[in-house]
């Protein structure tokens, strides 16, 4: 089955420190991987995607993600966290039939 | 483009009443999805449409739920009769037909059934 896993329900990081939100995938064939962010009382917003090409993908708000085929991972990263980055983050894989399978989400809290 | 538009933003209703949620996808998007989000179950895909045709409704919880897409610019999700366990945030999302693109989500409808 094609899926993604987010092993951490909650990540806390101090403002200014680098942050990582983890995601691993299980996909047959070439994966189409995405990250979304959800702020309180809002819908999910697209951050970045990996389709093909460079393993390091840059996205919105200074976020980036590294596709690692050998480790089947697609971790979200940011060099310096902001308090405004506090939100819920979802990793997703595009399945056949144009469906997405979303991970369970990771709540990121950036501590001032 | 105004994005994916959902209405109402909030709905409070009594158990047993009919509830209708509405969605206007982005013009030109071939796919439309309905999701439900709860703390316990996370994001659940309820149903999705391609070119106004329902493709997969296996996520619809039970017969009380129904969804329609009468044209390319409008979809509804109906719950009849509603129950307290239906309380959740319901999201609509739309997407172009190619795999390179992600979804665009609406702001959601927060449904509370009392």
């Amino acid at each position: 089955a094609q899926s993604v896993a987010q092993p951490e329900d909650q990540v806390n990081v101090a403002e200014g420190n680098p942050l990582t939100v983890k995601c691993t995938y299980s996909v047959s064939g070439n994966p189409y991987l995405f990250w979304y962010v959800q702020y309180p009382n809002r819908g999910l917003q697209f951050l970045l995607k990996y389709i093909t090409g460079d393993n390091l993908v840059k996205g919105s708000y200074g976020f980036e993600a590294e596709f690692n085929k050998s480790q089947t991972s697609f971790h979200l990263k940011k060099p310096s966290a902001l308090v405004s980055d506090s939100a819920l983050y979802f990793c997703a894989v595009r399945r056949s039939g144009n469906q997405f399978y979303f991970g369970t989400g990771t709540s990121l809290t950036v501590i001032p | 483009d105004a994005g994916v538009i959902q209405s109402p933003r909030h709905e409070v209703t009594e158990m047993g009443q009919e509830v209708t949620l509405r969605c206007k996808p982005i013009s030109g998007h071939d796919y439309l999805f309905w999701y439900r989000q709860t703390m316990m179950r996370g994001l659940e895909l309820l149903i999705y449409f391609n070119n106004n045709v329902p493709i997969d409704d296996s996520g619809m919880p039970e017969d009380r739920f129904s969804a329609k897409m009468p044209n390319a610019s409008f979809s509804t999700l109906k719950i009849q009769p509603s129950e307290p366990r239906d309380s959740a945030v319901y999201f609509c999302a739309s997407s172009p037909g190619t795999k390179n693109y992600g979804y665009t989500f609406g702001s959601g409808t927060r449904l509370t059934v009392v």
Side-chain angles (χ1 to χ4, degrees):
Chain A
Q2 301 186 72
S3 68
V4 291
Q6 294 181 243
E8 301 161 317
D9 291 335
Q10 173 79 38
V11 171
N12 297 324
V13 64
E15 186 177 20
N17 282 4
L19 69 86
T20 299
V21 183
K22 297 180 180 177
C23 172
T24 58
Y25 66 89
S26 173
V27 174
S28 57
N30 296 323
Y32 290 72
L33 296 163
F34 297 75
W35 275 102
Y36 283 82
V37 60
Q38 184 180 26
Y39 297 102
N41 301 313
R42 302 292 298 274
L44 279 70
Q45 298 178 32
F46 170 79
L47 268 182
L48 51 79
K49 64 184 178 185
Y50 173 82
I51 305 298
T52 186
D54 290 341
N55 290 342
L56 186 64
V57 179
K58 294 188 183 297
S60 307
Y61 313 121
F63 283 92
E64 58 189 29
E66 186 172 8
F67 172 67
N68 188 317
K69 190 172 184 178
S70 63
Q71 297 184 6
T72 63
S73 67
F74 189 56
H75 299 333
L76 181 70
K77 299 181 180 183
K78 188 173 182 180
S80 178
L82 300 173
V83 173
S84 57
D85 293 330
S86 298
L88 193 56
Y89 290 81
F90 290 92
C91 182
V93 62
R94 193 121 190 192
R95 301 169 67 178
S96 60
N98 211 31
Q99 294 182 59
F100 271 51
Y101 184 92
F102 286 91
T104 51
T106 299
S107 179
L108 172 69
T109 300
V110 181
I111 303 165
Chain B
D1 198 315
V4 176
I5 300 173
Q6 290 187 247
S7 63
R9 286 298 307 273
H10 302 274
E11 176 80 35
V12 180
T13 191
E14 292 185 347
M15 183 174 62
Q17 296 298 307
E18 177 180 297
V19 175
T20 300
L21 312 180
R22 297 172 176 80
C23 175
K24 181 182 183 333
I26 291 175
S27 176
H29 282 191
D30 299 333
Y31 286 82
L32 183 140
F33 304 82
W34 281 101
Y35 280 86
R36 178 171 68 176
Q37 186 178 35
T38 61
M39 289 290 292
M40 293 296 294
R41 301 173 70 93
L43 271 170
E44 302 173 274
L45 176 64
L46 300 177
I47 185 171
Y48 79 96
F49 296 83
N50 177 214
N51 292 323
N52 313 338
V53 176
I55 303 300
D56 186 351
D57 66 354
S58 59
M60 296 285 261
E62 48 198 274
D63 292 345
R64 298 184 297 107
F65 286 69
S66 62
K68 294 182 180 179
M69 192 165 185
N71 56 62
S73 59
F74 184 65
S75 177
T76 60
L77 178 68
K78 185 176 293 186
I79 307 172
Q80 167 62 20
S82 57
E83 297 182 2
R85 61 193 168 118
D86 302 329
S87 298
V89 181
Y90 291 81
F91 288 104
C92 176
S94 70
S95 171
T98 58
K99 287 187 173 182
N100 287 1
Y101 291 90
Y103 293 0
T104 301
F105 281 80
S107 297
T109 295
R110 181 174 295 277
L111 173 65
T112 303
V113 183
V114 298

